[in-house]
Amino acid sequence: MTRAPRVLLAGGGSAGHVSPLLATAAQIAEQSPEAEILVLGTADGLEADLVPAAGLELATIEKVPFPRRPNGAALRFPGRFSGTLRRVRALMEERGTDVVVGFGGYVCPPAYLAAARSRVPLVVHEANRRPGLANRLGARRAAAVLTAFPGSTLPGARRIGMPMREGIAHLDRAAHRAGARERLGLDPERPALLVTGGSLGAQRLNEQVSAAAQDVLDAGGQILHVTGRGKTAGVQERPGYRVLEYVSAMEDAYAAVDLALTRSGAGTVSELTAVGLPSVLVPLPIGNGEQALNGEDVVAAGGALMVPDAQLDAAYLREQVLPLLLDRERLSRMADAARGFGITDAAEVLAEIVISAARRA
């Protein structure tokens, strides 16, 4: 009789790591109900709340960032990292881990090295077009390297898309439109613009959309503005301008609107294309430029527009975004292009790969 797969999922810190991890875990449990799943994370990342809330077991380790410059932290790094590595190897031995799956973040390097030293198969999923340091390390000896976007520089990478919740991945926007609009308090007929900077919000989007909101309303449109927690100051709700700090069921938001104005994080771009929602992407202007890279292919495919953060102002919204919101034919073409780029079964495919690797082990 085949033993139940014992899977260690490593990732955390940001939603970009935790969300695909949780989606993959749900699919592993669906395909192999007897599987034993353990999540490796930290005590202060999003995973500390989201993993137990999903009914999964979380083991935490110390966050040990790679030093970027010679200082006291660099001197302490070898000892701290060695201790974390020993902790992960002991955990894997105790659980009889069959496969390690990494999604990026601080917890992944010790998990990847522990897998290598214990001769446990490793599967790596990279969310961004430009891979992070942890996954560049892990990809060197991974049994499978999977990506959300094409054109990855990781060796042997294969694009499968971004694992995401089933409610989003298999959303029928047209079928859910009326109910979603009712739940969110939107007019059933007027074209609707979704504005969101993610769970943390985006101050520039909030300020500029608020400044141009009346023009959208006067032209016959409406706005669903998700500001981010604690970011509603200065954003005045009025008839046709719905302001929320947070939407727990983003599938409702995607179904209710005709166009999205968003940052271009890997998860957001993947979700927009999976559901076929046209978008105007505003990449985060800090970091290593990965958000601009994430959106390049869908823009080239015709499913989105992209504007640099510094160029997003009320005038751009009036002159570019508003006419697009009111152009149903153009939005329909963009929706088809976005859907053609999107992938909806990444969680299922990744779960199959993980279970297969575990059983071979």
Side-chain angles (χ1 to χ4, degrees):
M1 182 175 178
T2 304
R3 193 184 74 174
R6 298 175 181 177
V7 182
L8 179 67
L9 303 176
S14 69
H17 297 142
V18 179
S19 295
L21 182 155
L22 293 177
T24 303
Q27 276 299 319
I28 292 172
E30 178 75 19
Q31 295 180 24
S32 181
E34 75 281 8
E36 298 177 15
I37 302 172
L38 177 66
V39 178
L40 185 69
T42 66
D44 55 358
L46 285 178
E47 65 274 18
D49 295 322
L50 297 181
V51 169
L56 297 169
E57 183 182 0
L58 176 68
T60 61
I61 57 174
E62 183 185 8
K63 184 167 67 175
V64 187
F66 283 107
R68 303 289 182 175
R69 57 182 62 88
N71 54 22
L75 293 175
R76 293 188 295 273
F77 174 78
R80 293 176 62 201
F81 187 83
S82 294
T84 301
L85 180 58
R86 287 194 297 272
R87 154 82 169 138
V88 177
R89 288 194 70 185
L91 185 66
M92 289 173 56
E93 183 175 344
E94 174 189 331
R95 297 303 181 97
T97 300
D98 296 313
V99 61
V100 172
V101 190
F103 296 85
Y106 290 119
V107 300
C108 282
Y112 294 166
L113 289 174
R117 295 184 181 181
S118 301
R119 300 185 182 278
V120 171
L122 171 63
V123 176
V124 170
H125 184 274
E126 173 56 52
N128 290 296
R129 269 278 301 274
R130 179 172 286 158
L133 178 61
N135 282 349
R136 294 203 303 271
L137 171 69
R140 296 175 184 174
R141 55 86 50 197
V145 179
L146 299 318
T147 66
F149 295 98
S152 175
T153 57
L154 294 176
R158 167 190 166 199
R159 184 193 181 208
I160 63 165
M162 178 74 81
M164 61 187 76
R165 287 192 302 107
E166 189 171 348
I168 293 176
H170 302 292
L171 173 67
D172 183 334
R173 288 178 56 228
H176 286 79
R177 180 183 177 94
R181 287 201 165 195
E182 182 178 358
R183 286 187 290 273
L184 290 168
L186 297 177
D187 186 284
E189 300 299 332
R190 297 166 73 181
L193 173 68
L194 169 66
V195 180
T196 175
S199 59
L200 299 178
Q203 194 63 31
R204 186 171 188 86
L205 270 64
N206 290 348
E207 292 172 352
Q208 301 306 318
V209 169
S210 180
Q214 194 58 48
D215 296 276
V216 176
L217 304 183
D218 292 343
Q222 60 184 327
I223 302 171
L224 173 63
H225 191 160
V226 184
T227 63
R229 296 192 187 278
K231 300 286 180 64
T232 57
V235 182
Q236 182 181 359
E237 185 169 273
R238 67 203 85 156
Y241 187 18
R242 187 83 170 92
V243 179
L244 300 170
E245 287 193 0
Y246 180 73
V247 174
S248 58
M250 280 302 293
E251 53 266 39
D252 274 354
Y254 292 151
V257 303
D258 303 281
L259 176 67
L261 176 73
T262 76
R263 291 297 192 201
S264 52
T268 298
V269 173
S270 297
E271 290 179 356
L272 292 171
T273 55
V275 304
L277 179 60
S279 59
V280 178
L281 303 174
V282 189
L284 190 70
I286 59 175
N288 64 4
E290 71 270 11
Q291 285 211 354
L293 288 173
N294 291 340
E296 278 184 352
D297 288 324
V298 66
V299 171
L305 305 179
M306 186 180 292
V307 56
D309 185 83
Q311 295 179 26
L312 179 76
D313 56 18
Y316 181 89
L317 293 168
R318 296 184 190 104
E319 297 165 9
Q320 302 294 329
V321 178
L322 178 54
L324 176 58
L325 177 65
L326 303 177
D327 190 338
R328 290 192 177 186
E329 289 188 7
R330 187 180 177 195
L331 288 176
S332 179
R333 293 194 300 270
M334 291 179 67
D336 289 341
R339 195 176 296 108
F341 180 80
I343 296 178
T344 61
D345 64 350
E348 292 92 329
V349 171
L350 182 53
E352 289 173 4
I353 292 170
V354 170
I355 293 169
S356 176
R359 286 177 172 158
R360 285 199 304 271

